[in-house]
Amino acid sequence: MPAARPGDCPARPGVAPRRGSGAALPQGLTHALEPRDPGPDEVARMSADLGRRLQAAEGSGGAGPARRDPGAVERITVPVWVHIVRDGALGLPDAAVARQIAVLNTAYSGGYGGADTGVRFELKGVTHTDNRAWFRDPLGFEEPLKEKLRTGGPETLNLFIAQMSRLVLGYSTYPYWYKDDPGLDGVVIDWRSVPGGPLRDFARGFTAVHEIGHWLGLLHTFENGCASTGDAVDDTPAEARPTNGCPPRKDTCPAPGDDPMHNFMDYSQDRCMREFTPGQAVRIRQMWDVYRRPAPQGADPEATAGALAERSDDESAGKR
C-alpha cells in the first residue's frame, strides 16, 4: 500500500514487479503503486481461474463454495506468524504485535463499520531477525528473507515487518499465485504503519488490513477504473482512480454511487478507512475455499489443493 505524499517521486527505478503490470502511474497520482500489483491481464487470469474452480465445485455436487448461502458468515480462523526484521534497535517493538492483531480482528469483524467478513486472526508465534540489509530492503531481499522465515501452508499468514521505501508501505501476494510460488507467499508491511507507529497519516494499522485483503483475494476498489468488471465485487461502486488523502466526497465514475473511499481496499489515509462490504466478504470466502482452506486431517495437502484445479483444467480443455 503506498503512502500518499504530494511531491514525492515515483518508486525506485529498476524494481520490476515479479507479476506486476508495469503500468505507468495514473494521471494525478503522486505515489507509487504496490510492488507485485497484478496488471489487467493477470487480473483476468485470476478471475477466470476462480470462476472455473467455482464451477467445478458446483458441478461436483458437494457443499463447495458455490453452494453456500452467500449471506451466511462462516468463521475463518487464520493462523498468523509475525516475522520482525530489525536493524539493531530500529524496528517494530514486540508490544505492537498484539495491537496489530487486535486491529485486524476489529476491521475484519466489522468493528469499524461495514460487513463482518467472518475472518479472525490467531497469533501463533513471533520471530526476530537482526539483518540491516533485509530490514531496509525487504523487497530486494525477498527470496532469502522468506526462504529463512516463512512457515506453514497456504492457510497460514506470514506477516513480515521491516522498513519499506518512503513511498510504499506494504505489499502482498495473492491466493492464485500460491501453487506456483508457495515460498513467496505472505504480506510485507512497514513497521512504522502499525497502530501507534510514527507515520502520522498511516498509523492505525490499516496498511496490514489492506495488504491482508489482497492475501485473502481482494483487489483494489479502483481496479480497472470505471470499466467492467472492476474489482469483481458488485457492491463496491466503480472508481476511476485511487483516493489520495481523505476528501469529503469523491465520485469519479458515471455509474451510480460515490467512490468507495472508506473501503479498506482503496488508498485513503487511515483516518478515512473503515469498512469491507458484504460482497467482499463473499469473495474472501470463495478465495479461501478455492485456494487457502486447509486440507482435511490425514489428506495430502498438495493432492487436495490440486484436485479441483486439475478437474477445472480438464473441463476447460474439453470445451475447446
Side-chain angles (χ1 to χ4, degrees):
M1 181 178 181
R5 298 183 182 87
D8 276 346
C9 299
R12 294 171 300 161
V15 180
R18 187 182 186 92
R19 304 173 186 274
S21 64
L25 295 180
Q27 186 176 4
L29 185 62
T30 58
H31 55 277
L33 299 178
E34 295 161 63
R36 309 290 184 261
D37 198 39
D41 291 344
E42 182 73 355
V43 167
R45 284 191 291 270
M46 290 165 60
S47 297
D49 188 73
L50 176 64
R52 286 195 301 269
R53 294 186 185 216
L54 292 175
Q55 286 181 351
E58 179 74 23
S60 70
R67 289 180 172 270
R68 292 211 179 99
D69 177 4
V73 179
E74 177 204 5
R75 178 63 61 87
I76 295 171
T77 301
V78 178
V80 182
W81 276 88
V82 174
H83 306 288
I84 299 174
V85 182
R86 291 191 175 117
D87 178 7
L90 186 61
L92 186 76
D94 284 8
V97 173
R99 294 198 300 269
Q100 182 65 79
I101 297 296
V103 166
L104 294 178
N105 282 318
T106 301
Y108 279 85
S109 66
Y112 299 115
D116 179 357
T117 66
V119 178
R120 302 295 184 270
F121 300 88
E122 182 178 332
L123 182 64
K124 293 297 186 180
V126 180
T127 70
H128 301 85
T129 302
D130 189 350
N131 187 309
R132 177 183 175 87
W134 290 7
F135 174 76
R136 296 189 179 276
D137 188 9
L139 178 61
F141 291 93
E142 180 176 30
E143 291 192 11
L145 185 158
K146 290 183 176 179
E147 182 179 1
K148 178 181 178 181
L149 300 177
R150 196 192 172 281
T151 187
E155 76 287 349
T156 301
L157 170 62
N158 284 260
L159 180 60
F160 304 88
I161 306 181
Q163 183 163 299
M164 305 291 294
S165 74
R166 66 193 181 115
L167 287 173
V168 179
L169 296 182
Y171 68 95
S172 175
T173 59
Y174 287 75
Y176 169 68
W177 298 345
Y178 183 86
K179 59 183 172 59
D180 292 330
D181 283 323
L184 291 182
D185 189 62
V187 170
V188 181
I189 65 167
D190 193 301
W191 70 277
R192 296 167 295 184
S193 71
V194 302
L199 292 178
R200 183 184 63 184
D201 295 324
F202 303 94
R204 299 188 182 184
F206 293 166
T207 292
V209 174
H210 175 103
E211 298 302 340
I212 291 167
H214 291 317
W215 186 83
L216 290 167
L218 297 180
L219 297 167
H220 291 124
T221 51
F222 49 83
E223 194 72 47
N224 209 28
C226 298
S228 178
T229 57
D231 64 349
V233 175
D234 291 339
D235 58 4
T236 54
E239 186 176 22
R241 55 184 176 272
T243 301
N244 277 320
C246 187
R249 182 175 177 268
K250 178 167 165 267
D251 187 6
T252 57
C253 289
D258 286 355
D259 289 1
M261 51 178 273
H262 300 297
N263 196 281
F264 286 116
M265 301 314 295
D266 198 353
Y267 274 177
S268 309
Q269 293 174 352
D270 280 13
R271 65 190 174 94
C272 211
M273 290 182 166
R274 59 173 181 253
E275 64 191 17
F276 291 108
T277 67
Q280 287 174 316
V282 170
R283 181 176 173 88
I284 285 173
R285 294 196 294 276
Q286 291 173 336
M287 286 283 184
W288 183 263
D289 280 323
V290 168
Y291 298 109
R292 294 205 180 278
R293 181 175 292 280
Q297 190 171 6
D300 179 351
E302 291 190 4
T304 302
L308 187 58
E310 291 175 4
R311 181 166 66 246
S312 176
D313 291 343
D314 289 345
E315 291 177 357
S316 297
K319 294 177 182 178
R320 294 189 188 114

